[in-house]
Amino acid sequence: MSSEHLKKVDAYWRAANYLSVGQIYLFDNPLLKRPLALGDIKPMLLGHWGTTPGQNFIYAHLNRVIQKFDLDMIYVSGPGHGGPAVVANTYLEGTYSEVYPDISRDETGLRKLFLQFSFPGGIPSHASPECPGSIHEGGELGYSLSHAFGAAFDNPDLVVACVVGDGEAETGPLATAWHSNKFLDPVTDGAVLPILHLNGYKIANPTLLARITREELEQLLRGYGWTPYFVEGHEPAPMHEAMAATLDAAVRQIKDIQRDARVHGNRVRPRWPMIVLASPKGWTGPKTVDGLPVEGTFRAHQVPLSDPVKHPEHLAQLESWLRSYRPEELFDDAGRLNPDLAELAPKGDRRMGANPHANGGLLLRDLHLPDFQDYAVDVPAAGTPGIGDAHVLGPFLRDVTRLNAEQRNFRVFGPDETLSNGLEALFEVTNRQWNATTLPGDEFLAPTGRVMEMLSEHQCEGWLEGYLLTGRHGLFNCYEAFVHIVDSMFNQHAKWLKVASHLPWRRKIASLNYLLASHVWRQDHNGFTHQDPGFIDVVLNKKAAVVRVYLPPDANCLLSVMDHCLRSRHYVNVVVAGKHPAPQWLTMDAAVRHCFAGIGVWSWASNDQEAAPDVVMACCGDVPTLETLAAVSILREHLPELRIRVVNVIDLLKLESNLKHPHGLGDAEFDDLFTRDTPVIFAFHGYPSLIHRLTYSRTNHHNFHVHGYNEEGTVTTPFDMSVLNELDRFHLVLDVIDRVPQTGEPGINLQQRLREKLVEHRQYINRHGQDLPEVRHWTWTAPGEAPDPPGPRGDDPLGVR
């Protein structure tokens, strides 16, 4: 840079640092037009200074290369609590005031900008959804780089600058995310420019990457497949020169890689550039406080100068710190940034805070979806054998992929389980995207593909989140037990959706869709470690406006539900479905009506049409539905006078009160289904406590007797998994007889026979290694109507649509 331009960039950096310190400390007097007084200081000081000046330095230099190379670039702030930096820089570039006109670009606006930060009714200290340009909050560390790659997929002109904190780099997800460069296609995808911010410390300890040798760090990064460039120092002038030269080199290398692949057809995996910025933690802040070193130590992490009411000497030190940035050179008397500095920011959508990729709903286009009914399973009678529900879904997803190939806005993500989860049909039209070495005998690997697989749930989730946040669609398929690995990532995304839904300028994005296809009841071959349905419980802790949970009982219902989920916006949809051969219950027409309602009486399986039921047999999930209907067939054969109502739940949130969830049933509708005083034997896919939690306020809650997963499992037969957890048909019938006294002597006799049958079951599987023939070959034979039920009693279009 010329010395004049260097001075301007340094002044812009000082302006961002001044605004950042002001956000942490100042209640009033934003331009220091008078000496700082105690009344000018916030009563509670919150924020994180340590990472902020380094990020301000990076942002200022990224603005320069955006202008120089006309880059389409967004900024991902990985270090925790980097909010002051991104807020300050989006304010300086003008985006913040455009989104929030009351935070004007003058002294009044500065006062409001400072006051709102980490203040009641204001904004958080992270790069939260409230901050324009943000797709990554940074409240929980570890996901910045995977989000950055998700944003780059299918965005060939986009460069994602991702600042990685050296504390953040110690997390498992981030350490694994360095490998994402093996999945980036230089022809069809954009580029990610990681900037490892090596400032030496986390909260109270040194960081590992700062305490290994430079040689070891370089070897580590080169071993990950990167070309690292180092910018190191603490004197501003030479650091500006070094950063400018390094960024220019990195951008040119990115352009060379992309040109080599796109023009010359070079498909050898490139070594993309990255930057290591080694600068002091709390750079330009107080050198010492109370006789202890601060700048360049862990003491700079949060608020370097504490409450001046308790420490009066800190007031003068804070004023000296603020004046060291020379605000009178940066802002005019009205509080406006000087024009010669304002011109350093890019213009229009090239500003990182205004880039539409960081407000993905602006770019979101509807998927082209085939008619899901074209993939229907023929169900001439209830209980027709099926190939496995996920295997039926596969061709539908195959054609979703095919129909959106030109738009390049749909991908399927999963940790090496796409085939295992029954979605093999996808590979008829696409491959796994893979840019590492391939060998003869490898299957479905190519530089470009719509399926993204890495044996890391964290990366698959992070990639998908970044993909969705930048305006595309996707699906995450995973084993049910191991989706828990991303519990916390789900939490963060759900929180983002909740906050973003209240920001009118944030456009809705496509829903985060989970398909849990290898579930608890059919992990009999893998055993106890693979048996856990608790992700549903985690999901239902989130706000009702955000989460949806569906448990389709068969393939036709699964098709209908998935079509709905792929069309939906701004939700987290969890769909649990089986992949093993299973009975099919509903015709497609019936499935569509059932899914629309979300819950309903299966009249064809019930015999209470002429009177009130003696018992309600409720079920939710494919295996619970199978066992419930098998139990009903036993009851109808041996206790024909018993009036039974069968209720199937597909939309789990139907059980919630309509006062708590928009899908919930009103009390009258709920009572019409489950009655006000009849025993309800409920077979549930997950932990029984969840059903009690959802129904605890209902009139008949005391009569709900829930069978579900009770943390019993092993390597065993499929039916024995149900027996171990008392979800099987025999235990369900035993419970009915216990709860319905009018079964009398026939009930007592049936109980005895079923207890003997359970003993026989145990002996048989221990001897033969498979389930009883009558279980393996069971089919629905109870008399009744064709499998074409009407809507639920009290039908109301509040169902899954």
Side-chain angles (χ1 to χ4, degrees):
M1 290 189 296
S2 68
S3 60
E4 184 63 27
H5 196 71
L6 183 151
K7 290 179 181 177
K8 287 184 178 180
V9 172
D10 183 72
Y12 197 96
W13 178 43
R14 285 189 281 120
N17 286 338
Y18 180 82
L19 296 185
S20 299
V21 180
Q23 289 178 75
I24 295 173
Y25 284 96
L26 293 186
F27 187 85
D28 200 359
N29 196 11
L31 292 172
L32 299 183
K33 289 183 175 179
R34 51 180 170 76
L36 205 59
L38 288 177
D40 297 328
I41 311 302
K42 292 180 179 180
M44 184 168 60
L45 301 177
L46 298 169
H48 289 70
W49 167 246
T51 181
T52 297
Q55 291 203 64
N56 287 334
F57 181 83
I58 292 167
Y59 207 105
H61 279 272
L62 291 175
N63 281 341
R64 186 190 66 81
V65 294
I66 289 171
Q67 296 228 66
K68 180 174 181 177
F69 294 97
D70 189 27
L71 297 179
D72 187 10
M73 177 180 279
I74 63 173
Y75 182 90
V76 173
S77 174
H81 300 277
V86 290
V87 170
N89 280 282
T90 53
Y91 178 81
L92 289 175
E93 71 186 20
T95 308
Y96 207 93
S97 297
E98 291 172 10
V99 172
Y100 303 108
D102 60 317
I103 310 294
S104 51
R105 303 179 78 184
D106 53 24
E107 184 174 6
T108 300
L110 281 176
R111 184 179 292 107
K112 292 179 179 179
L113 182 80
F114 292 171
L115 181 61
Q116 69 172 359
F117 179 80
S118 286
F119 199 81
I123 62 172
S125 62
H126 313 113
S128 63
E130 292 92 338
C131 183
S134 175
I135 66 165
H136 172 85
E137 181 150 7
E140 181 178 339
L141 302 181
Y143 315 129
S144 60
L145 200 51
S146 55
H147 283 162
F149 274 92
F153 293 142
D154 294 321
N155 270 327
D157 299 323
L158 184 66
V159 179
V160 185
C162 179
V163 182
V164 177
D166 54 352
E168 179 191 22
E170 296 179 10
T171 65
L174 197 289
T176 306
W178 295 113
H179 285 300
S180 295
N181 54 12
K182 286 84 171 175
F183 298 86
L184 199 68
D185 180 7
V187 176
T188 60
D189 298 329
V192 176
L193 178 62
I195 303 171
L196 174 60
H197 189 200
L198 203 69
N199 64 21
Y201 294 89
K202 35 194 188 277
I203 297 174
N205 279 286
T207 57
L208 289 170
L209 296 186
R211 294 298 178 90
I212 60 177
T213 65
R214 161 76 175 272
E215 178 187 24
E216 188 177 352
L217 177 59
E218 185 170 357
Q219 288 176 342
L220 175 68
L221 297 173
R222 289 189 181 277
Y224 275 125
W226 297 92
T227 299
Y229 294 87
F230 287 79
V231 177
E232 303 175 81
H234 66 279
E235 290 293 339
M239 285 290 281
H240 283 303
E241 291 178 345
M243 189 65 172
T246 300
L247 268 175
D248 284 359
V251 171
R252 289 193 177 101
Q253 185 177 349
I254 288 170
K255 288 182 172 293
D256 287 344
I257 288 170
Q258 292 176 335
R259 185 183 307 109
D260 203 24
R262 297 172 186 180
V263 177
H264 303 296
N266 184 359
R267 302 310 298 255
V268 176
R269 178 171 62 88
R271 286 182 169 269
W272 297 91
M274 65 163 295
I275 296 171
V276 179
L277 174 65
S279 63
K281 194 174 184 78
W283 198 10
T284 74
K287 306 295 186 200
T288 62
V289 176
D290 298 333
L292 295 173
V294 173
E295 185 188 64
T297 77
F298 65 87
R299 296 184 185 90
H301 181 71
Q302 292 181 289
V303 180
L305 295 166
S306 55
D307 185 358
V309 173
K310 297 178 181 177
H311 303 273
E313 67 279 9
H314 289 187
L315 183 64
Q317 197 170 1
L318 173 59
E319 182 168 359
S320 176
W321 177 15
L322 284 163
R323 292 192 184 279
S324 73
Y325 298 119
R326 306 192 296 281
E328 67 280 359
E329 299 176 5
L330 310 173
F331 304 94
D332 64 19
D333 287 342
R336 294 185 292 263
L337 184 66
N338 289 337
D340 62 330
L341 299 183
E343 70 180 8
L344 297 181
K347 304 299 184 289
D349 287 353
R350 283 297 193 250
R351 296 171 296 174
M352 289 188 285
N355 193 304
H357 291 289
N359 187 2
L362 292 170
L363 304 176
L364 186 64
R365 291 181 290 173
D366 289 344
L367 285 173
H368 297 309
L369 294 177
D371 186 344
F372 68 91
Q373 299 189 55
D374 292 343
Y375 304 83
V377 173
D378 184 28
V379 185
T384 298
I387 62 172
D389 299 350
H391 294 281
V392 175
L393 179 66
F396 172 72
L397 294 177
R398 173 200 64 201
D399 291 346
V400 173
T401 301
R402 178 179 55 81
L403 289 172
N404 294 279
E406 185 176 348
Q407 289 193 148
R408 300 190 64 82
N409 65 343
F410 176 74
R411 293 194 185 220
V412 175
F413 300 78
D416 191 26
E417 293 165 356
T418 306
L419 285 171
S420 178
N421 283 331
L423 304 180
E424 63 280 348
L426 282 164
F427 296 115
E428 297 173 18
V429 296
T430 188
N431 290 298
R432 303 180 182 95
Q433 185 155 311
W434 171 267
N435 278 280
T437 301
T438 57
L439 298 174
D442 288 340
E443 288 189 329
F444 312 129
L445 300 180
T448 300
R450 302 283 89 199
V451 174
M452 305 296 300
E453 289 191 339
M454 184 178 180
L455 197 52
S456 166
E457 285 81 359
H458 287 122
Q459 297 320 307
C460 296
E461 171 86 12
W463 289 342
L464 175 54
E465 289 178 359
Y467 199 66
L468 299 175
L469 287 160
T470 48
R472 281 74 64 76
H473 305 257
L475 174 70
F476 182 21
N477 73 102
C478 186
Y479 278 30
E480 182 179 45
F482 302 133
V483 74
H484 273 301
I485 292 169
V486 299
D487 277 1
S488 199
M489 296 185 75
F490 151 75
N491 282 336
Q492 297 298 319
H493 189 78
K495 289 174 184 291
W496 178 283
L497 293 178
K498 188 260 186 186
V499 173
S501 68
H502 298 293
L503 300 171
W505 61 271
R506 282 267 183 201
R507 300 296 179 85
K508 289 184 176 181
I509 62 173
S511 296
L512 171 57
N513 297 311
Y514 292 96
L515 174 64
L516 309 183
S518 296
H519 62 57
V520 56
W521 300 108
R522 291 308 309 268
Q523 282 296 316
D524 38 88
H525 58 299
N526 280 322
F528 198 38
T529 57
H530 287 54
Q531 297 160 355
D532 190 316
F535 186 65
I536 298 172
D537 298 67
V538 175
V539 168
L540 292 190
N541 288 330
K542 297 300 143 195
K543 282 291 185 179
V546 173
V547 296
R548 307 288 187 264
V549 177
Y550 303 107
L551 293 102
D554 65 5
N556 286 337
C557 290
L558 174 59
L559 288 166
S560 179
V561 163
M562 188 57 66
D563 175 79
H564 164 69
C565 291
L566 292 178
R567 295 177 188 276
S568 69
R569 298 288 185 270
H570 227 69
Y571 297 138
V572 175
N573 296 311
V574 179
V575 181
V576 183
K579 64 183 182 182
H580 294 280
Q584 303 300 299
W585 307 108
L586 301 181
T587 65
M588 179 53 80
D589 287 345
V592 169
R593 291 197 296 274
H594 186 44
C595 290
F596 185 84
I599 187 173
V601 174
W602 281 6
S603 300
W604 53 269
S606 308
N607 66 347
D608 68 322
Q609 287 82 358
E610 303 302 325
D614 297 314
V615 64
V616 175
M617 302 293 286
C619 47
C620 183
D622 56 357
V623 169
T625 298
L626 166 62
E627 292 305 312
T628 294
L629 290 175
V632 168
S633 69
I634 294 171
L635 288 167
R636 292 184 65 173
E637 178 182 356
H638 296 280
L639 301 173
E641 302 303 317
L642 193 68
R643 295 188 299 273
I644 303 167
R645 176 180 297 174
V646 176
V647 175
N648 184 264
V649 181
I650 190 169
D651 179 352
L652 186 60
L653 275 307
K654 281 291 178 180
L655 301 177
E656 186 87 273
S657 167
N658 62 339
L659 301 177
K660 297 181 179 180
H661 195 281
H663 284 195
L665 294 176
D667 285 340
E669 298 169 292
F670 189 91
D671 291 345
D672 196 38
L673 283 170
F674 294 102
T675 81
R676 297 175 62 87
D677 55 8
T678 302
V680 178
I681 310 301
F682 201 124
F684 177 51
H685 174 87
Y687 290 102
S689 59
L690 183 55
I691 299 300
H692 289 296
R693 168 182 154 192
L694 293 172
T695 62
Y696 80 96
S697 64
R698 302 295 191 175
T699 303
N700 199 30
H701 174 235
H702 67 284
N703 264 328
F704 270 63
H705 309 284
V706 185
H707 296 246
Y709 184 66
N710 289 313
E711 206 62 28
E712 295 291 344
T714 183
V715 176
T716 186
T717 67
F719 181 67
D720 191 49
M721 268 299 297
S722 298
V723 173
L724 289 173
N725 292 276
E726 299 186 357
L727 182 77
D728 64 285
R729 59 201 69 180
F730 303 142
H731 279 99
L732 294 178
V733 172
L734 288 169
D735 201 9
V736 170
I737 297 169
D738 283 341
R739 309 293 177 184
V740 183
Q742 59 264 43
T743 58
E745 191 67 26
I748 295 172
N749 294 335
L750 180 57
Q751 276 187 320
Q752 182 60 36
R753 293 176 62 182
L754 294 179
R755 292 191 181 102
E756 292 169 357
K757 183 60 69 175
L758 286 167
V759 173
E760 180 187 349
H761 153 78
R762 178 65 51 204
Q763 293 172 340
Y764 188 91
I765 65 168
N766 289 343
R767 183 182 309 115
H768 299 284
Q770 61 180 341
D771 286 318
L772 290 162
E774 65 195 77
V775 171
R776 286 185 281 123
H777 304 306
W778 177 85
T779 58
W780 171 256
T781 57
E785 302 172 13
D788 193 13
R793 303 178 185 201
D795 190 10
D796 185 282
L798 290 175
V800 297
R801 298 297 168 190

